[in-house]
Coordinates of all heavy atoms in Angstrom, one line a residue:
T263 N 0.8 -1.2 0.0 CA 0.0 0.0 0.0 C 0.9 1.3 0.0 O 2.0 1.2 0.4 CB -0.9 0.0 1.2 OG1 -0.1 0.1 2.4 CG2 -1.8 -1.2 1.3
E264 N 0.3 2.4 -0.4 CA 0.9 3.6 -0.3 C 1.3 3.9 1.2 O 2.3 4.5 1.5 CB 0.1 4.8 -0.9 CG 0.0 4.7 -2.4 CD -0.8 5.8 -3.0 OE1 -0.6 6.9 -2.5 OE2 -1.6 5.6 -3.9
Y265 N 0.4 3.6 2.1 CA 0.6 3.8 3.5 C 1.9 3.1 3.9 O 2.7 3.6 4.6 CB -0.6 3.2 4.3 CG -0.5 3.4 5.8 CD1 -1.0 4.5 6.4 CD2 0.1 2.4 6.6 CE1 -0.9 4.7 7.8 CE2 0.2 2.6 7.9 CZ -0.3 3.7 8.5 OH -0.2 3.9 9.9
S266 N 2.1 1.9 3.5 CA 3.3 1.1 3.8 C 4.5 1.8 3.2 O 5.6 1.8 3.9 CB 3.2 -0.3 3.2 OG 4.4 -1.0 3.4
L267 N 4.4 2.3 2.0 CA 5.6 3.0 1.4 C 6.0 4.2 2.2 O 7.2 4.5 2.4 CB 5.3 3.4 -0.1 CG 5.2 2.3 -1.1 CD1 4.8 2.9 -2.4 CD2 6.5 1.6 -1.2
I268 N 5.0 4.9 2.7 CA 5.3 6.1 3.5 C 5.8 5.8 4.9 O 6.8 6.3 5.3 CB 4.0 7.0 3.6 CG1 3.6 7.5 2.3 CG2 4.2 8.1 4.6 CD1 2.2 8.1 2.2
F269 N 5.1 4.9 5.6 CA 5.4 4.7 7.0 C 6.4 3.6 7.3 O 7.1 3.6 8.3 CB 4.1 4.5 7.8 CG 3.3 5.8 7.9 CD1 2.2 5.9 7.1 CD2 3.7 6.9 8.7 CE1 1.4 7.1 7.1 CE2 2.9 8.0 8.7 CZ 1.8 8.1 7.9
K270 N 6.5 2.6 6.4 CA 7.4 1.5 6.6 C 8.7 1.7 5.9 O 9.8 1.4 6.4 CB 6.8 0.2 6.2 CG 7.7 -1.0 6.4 CD 7.0 -2.3 6.0 CE 8.0 -3.5 6.2 NZ 7.4 -4.7 5.7
H271 N 8.6 2.3 4.7 CA 9.8 2.4 3.8 C 10.3 3.9 3.7 O 11.4 4.1 3.1 CB 9.5 1.9 2.4 CG 9.2 0.4 2.5 ND1 10.1 -0.6 2.7 CD2 8.0 -0.2 2.3 CE1 9.5 -1.7 2.6 NE2 8.2 -1.6 2.4
G272 N 9.6 4.8 4.3 CA 10.1 6.2 4.3 C 10.0 7.0 3.0 O 10.7 8.0 2.8
I273 N 9.1 6.6 2.1 CA 8.9 7.3 0.9 C 8.0 8.5 1.3 O 6.9 8.4 1.9 CB 8.2 6.5 -0.2 CG1 9.1 5.3 -0.6 CG2 7.8 7.3 -1.4 CD1 10.4 5.6 -1.2
P274 N 8.5 9.7 0.9 CA 7.7 10.9 1.3 C 6.3 10.9 0.6 O 6.1 10.6 -0.5 CB 8.5 12.1 0.8 CG 9.9 11.6 0.7 CD 9.7 10.1 0.3
A275 N 5.3 11.3 1.4 CA 3.9 11.4 0.9 C 3.9 12.3 -0.3 O 3.1 12.1 -1.3 CB 2.9 11.8 2.0
N276 N 4.7 13.4 -0.3 CA 4.7 14.3 -1.4 C 5.1 13.6 -2.7 O 4.7 14.0 -3.8 CB 5.7 15.5 -1.1 CG 5.7 16.5 -2.1 OD1 4.6 17.0 -2.6 ND2 6.9 16.9 -2.5
T277 N 6.0 12.7 -2.6 CA 6.5 11.9 -3.8 C 5.3 11.2 -4.4 O 5.1 11.2 -5.6 CB 7.6 11.0 -3.4 OG1 8.7 11.7 -3.0 CG2 8.0 10.1 -4.6
L278 N 4.5 10.5 -3.6 CA 3.4 9.8 -4.1 C 2.3 10.7 -4.7 O 1.7 10.4 -5.7 CB 2.8 8.9 -3.0 CG 3.7 7.8 -2.5 CD1 3.1 7.0 -1.3 CD2 4.2 6.9 -3.6
H279 N 2.2 11.9 -4.0 CA 1.3 12.9 -4.6 C 1.7 13.4 -6.0 O 0.9 13.5 -6.9 CB 1.2 14.1 -3.6 CG 0.4 15.2 -4.1 ND1 -1.0 15.3 -4.0 CD2 0.8 16.4 -4.7 CE1 -1.4 16.4 -4.5 NE2 -0.4 17.1 -5.0
R280 N 3.0 13.6 -6.1 CA 3.6 14.0 -7.4 C 3.3 12.9 -8.5 O 3.0 13.3 -9.6 CB 5.1 14.3 -7.3 CG 5.4 15.5 -6.4 CD 6.9 15.8 -6.2 NE 7.5 16.0 -7.5 CZ 7.5 17.2 -8.1 NH1 6.8 18.2 -7.6 NH2 8.1 17.4 -9.3
M281 N 3.5 11.7 -8.1 CA 3.3 10.6 -9.0 C 1.8 10.5 -9.5 O 1.5 10.3 -10.6 CB 3.8 9.3 -8.4 CG 5.3 9.2 -8.3 SD 5.8 7.8 -7.4 CE 5.7 6.5 -8.7
K282 N 0.9 10.7 -8.5 CA -0.5 10.7 -8.8 C -0.9 11.7 -9.8 O -1.8 11.6 -10.6 CB -1.3 10.9 -7.6 CG -1.5 9.6 -6.8 CD -2.5 9.9 -5.6 CE -2.6 8.6 -4.8 NZ -3.5 8.8 -3.6
H283 N -0.1 12.8 -9.8 CA -0.4 14.0 -10.7 C 0.5 14.0 -11.9 O 0.5 15.0 -12.6 CB -0.4 15.3 -9.9 CG -1.5 15.4 -8.9 ND1 -1.5 14.9 -7.6 CD2 -2.8 15.8 -9.1 CE1 -2.6 15.1 -7.0 NE2 -3.4 15.6 -7.9
G284 N 1.2 12.9 -12.1 CA 2.1 12.8 -13.3 C 3.3 13.8 -13.3 O 3.8 14.1 -14.4
E285 N 3.7 14.2 -12.2 CA 4.8 15.1 -12.1 C 6.1 14.3 -11.9 O 6.1 13.1 -11.7 CB 4.6 16.0 -10.9 CG 3.4 16.9 -11.0 CD 3.1 17.8 -9.8 OE1 4.0 17.8 -8.9 OE2 2.1 18.4 -9.7
A286 N 7.2 15.0 -12.1 CA 8.6 14.4 -12.1 C 9.0 13.9 -10.7 O 8.6 14.5 -9.7 CB 9.6 15.4 -12.6
I287 N 9.7 12.8 -10.7 CA 10.4 12.3 -9.4 C 11.8 12.2 -9.8 O 12.2 12.1 -11.0 CB 9.8 11.0 -8.9 CG1 9.9 9.9 -9.9 CG2 8.3 11.2 -8.5 CD1 9.5 8.5 -9.4
T288 N 12.7 12.1 -8.8 CA 14.1 11.9 -9.1 C 14.5 10.5 -9.4 O 13.8 9.5 -9.1 CB 15.0 12.4 -7.8 OG1 14.7 11.4 -6.8 CG2 14.6 13.8 -7.4
T289 N 15.6 10.3 -10.0 CA 16.1 9.0 -10.3 C 16.5 8.3 -9.0 O 16.4 7.0 -9.0 CB 17.3 9.0 -11.3 OG1 18.3 9.9 -10.8 CG2 16.9 9.5 -12.7
K290 N 16.9 9.0 -8.0 CA 17.2 8.4 -6.7 C 15.9 7.8 -6.2 O 15.9 6.6 -5.7 CB 17.7 9.4 -5.7 CG 18.0 8.8 -4.4 CD 18.5 9.9 -3.4 CE 18.7 9.2 -2.1 NZ 18.9 10.1 -1.0
T291 N 14.8 8.5 -6.2 CA 13.5 7.9 -5.8 C 13.1 6.8 -6.6 O 12.6 5.7 -6.1 CB 12.4 9.0 -5.8 OG1 12.8 10.1 -5.0 CG2 11.1 8.5 -5.4
L292 N 13.3 6.9 -7.9 CA 13.0 5.7 -8.8 C 13.8 4.5 -8.4 O 13.2 3.4 -8.3 CB 13.3 6.2 -10.2 CG 12.9 5.2 -11.3 CD1 11.4 4.9 -11.3 CD2 13.2 5.8 -12.7

């Protein structure tokens, strides 16, 4: 889940928000 990515794996919620809206993410995040 996105919840797991945020709270278990430390992916910023803003990154998932950007992805939902088709915005750029860094290659490090990728």
Side-chain angles (χ1 to χ4, degrees):
T263 63
E264 290 184 40
Y265 183 90
S266 175
L267 289 176
I268 295 167
F269 293 102
K270 182 178 178 187
H271 299 286
I273 299 296
N276 183 48
T277 296
L278 298 178
H279 176 80
R280 294 177 62 78
M281 292 174 76
K282 277 186 182 176
H283 291 88
E285 297 176 9
I287 62 171
T288 66
T289 53
K290 179 182 178 196
T291 298
L292 187 56

